[in-house]
Amino acid sequence: AQDAAPATPVNIGVIGLGDQGRELLTSLSYVAGANVLYICDSYAPIHKRSQEIAPKATAVTDYKQVLGDPKVQAVYVATPSHLHKQ
């Protein structure tokens, strides 16, 4: 077996912290190099459950803050389809 090269870190934002968003966060917690910088949901009380999965992530309510940060390299949108347009 060959030694795998270390994963290059990727800075990630997750928008939408319902069931699917939290499942994404759980999966990302097992991925080497997945660095979740932001968790985002317009419903602030849901942040606490997601913060337990991604404790180093910054919790925000405005998706524009996630998209506007030049350090963010990838974004997962886990919101209902009718909210994707905005």
Side-chain angles (χ1 to χ4, degrees), residues 6-49:
T8 302
V10 176
N11 295 325
I12 301 168
V14 176
I15 299 172
L17 303 175
D19 292 339
Q20 288 182 335
R22 287 192 311 276
E23 186 63 35
L24 276 167
L25 285 172
T26 298
S27 295
L28 288 169
S29 72
Y30 295 108
V31 177
N35 182 31
V36 179
L37 291 183
Y38 288 99
I39 54 174
C40 176
D41 199 287
S42 60
Y43 183 63
I46 204 167
H47 289 173
K48 183 178 179 184
R49 289 174 65 188

Side-chain angles (χ1 to χ4, degrees), residues 22-86:
R22 287 192 311 276
E23 186 63 35
L24 276 167
L25 285 172
T26 298
S27 295
L28 288 169
S29 72
Y30 295 108
V31 177
N35 182 31
V36 179
L37 291 183
Y38 288 99
I39 54 174
C40 176
D41 199 287
S42 60
Y43 183 63
I46 204 167
H47 289 173
K48 183 178 179 184
R49 289 174 65 188
S50 299
Q51 197 82 62
E52 292 171 0
I53 303 168
K56 294 180 182 179
T58 299
V60 297
T61 56
D62 186 354
Y63 72 92
K64 293 175 185 171
Q65 188 173 351
V66 178
L67 299 179
D69 188 331
K71 293 180 297 227
V72 174
Q73 298 168 294
V75 176
Y76 287 92
V77 180
T79 61
S81 296
H82 70 279
L83 296 175
H84 286 199
K85 180 180 177 185
Q86 185 180 15

